[in-house]
Amino acid sequence: HCLKEERRLPSRQQYETVCMFCDVSGFTALSEKMAVLGVGAEGLKKHLNSYFGQMSKIIAGSGGDVFKFAGDAMIVLWPPSAESMELRCRRAAQAG
């Protein structure tokens, strides 16, 4: 007995939004220094998790949503709302 899976086609939504890309300045130098100090990947992970945790709180408090984490970077969106685009841009700049 075969169950047919329901397949959904890719969809697209179009709307105006504010998008922010931010990454850790000096990440390569930081990771190299931590390796030399013997802290390694575990120490680096701890610092990144702390940074991303703090940034996520700031972003959520300003109405943004973290769309994606990628290495030492994140992509953040401020979804459509009743607020003007100018105000959402200002909130993004203040969060970053």
Side-chain angles (χ1 to χ4, degrees), residues 34-91:
M34 292 184 91
V36 169
L37 294 174
V39 179
E42 282 299 315
L44 189 58
K45 180 180 83 169
K46 181 179 176 183
H47 284 288
L48 272 181
N49 286 343
S50 175
Y51 167 75
F52 283 142
Q54 292 173 36
M55 284 297 293
S56 295
K57 287 178 187 175
I58 293 167
I59 289 163
S62 68
D65 292 323
V66 176
F67 177 70
K68 186 173 188 175
F69 292 101
D72 68 322
M74 63 170 60
I75 299 171
V76 182
L77 300 175
W78 274 260
S81 70
E83 295 179 337
S84 69
M85 182 64 79
E86 180 183 343
L87 181 56
R88 286 184 282 159
C89 286
R90 195 174 309 139
R91 288 181 185 274

Side-chain angles (χ1 to χ4, degrees), residues 7-13:
R7 293 185 186 237
R8 296 186 340 169
L9 296 175
S11 65
R12 183 179 97 171
Q13 293 179 347

Side-chain angles (χ1 to χ4, degrees), residues 1 14 17-18 25 28 34 38 63 80 85:
H1 210 284
Q14 186 172 342
T17 187
V18 175
S25 177
T28 301
M34 292 184 91
M85 182 64 79

